[in-house]
Amino acid sequence: YRRSEPIGEQSMSRYNEDQLIQEAQGILGPDEPVLAAGYFALHDLVVAQIAGSATGALGGSVLDSAAGSAMGAAFGGLAAKKALAESQGVTVQLLVAVTEAHIHVLNRDTDGRLADQVARFDRSGCEVTVTKFGLSRNVTLADATSGARLELVGGVSPIAVTSKGDKAVLALLAA
């Protein structure tokens, strides 16, 4: 077996800003050019992962080792996050795509199980609130006319592969 690209390149390109824009454009079609796209998650999923990690760590501690607790925390957090995501009709990874007129929240890797588009907000009528939590950014999108509201979390860590796309989306949302 021979890899066609260096280790790490394949996973990093999945979160590369240009790749995210291309992915979003592929979902939305050519009629609405994507200006920026970033990788975000539902805010509720972060809370579920923390709760699931705590539960998993307790279960893993039955193995009477730090490794058992750590493994239980990791699997518990992931399982809780996936279960909550699916119950809300979303994937764990969401793609936020900003066009001239809209903010699109899209599912990633649905395998046909879920709709491609989670939500769409008109940029002109959407109230965007961004708050900081360390190197994370909590983003609330709210449309007063329809009552639609969505809370997301993105990252701006300089070493995170996802941060360039997130920063580009955040800059457009703040404009």
Side-chain angles (χ1 to χ4, degrees), residues 1-14 19:
Y1 173 75
R2 186 165 186 207
R3 293 181 66 89
S4 60
E5 49 189 316
I7 293 176
E9 288 295 315
Q10 185 177 22
S11 63
M12 286 182 20
S13 68
R14 180 168 162 75
Q19 289 293 113

Side-chain angles (χ1 to χ4, degrees), residues 21 28 40 59 61 84 103 123 132 160 175:
I21 289 172
L28 296 173
F40 288 76
S61 68
L84 181 60
I103 302 163
R123 283 183 70 187
K132 297 178 182 181

Side-chain angles (χ1 to χ4, degrees), residues 52-76:
S53 293
T55 303
L58 288 173
S61 68
V62 170
L63 298 175
D64 199 28
S65 71
S69 288
M71 191 176 299
F75 287 122

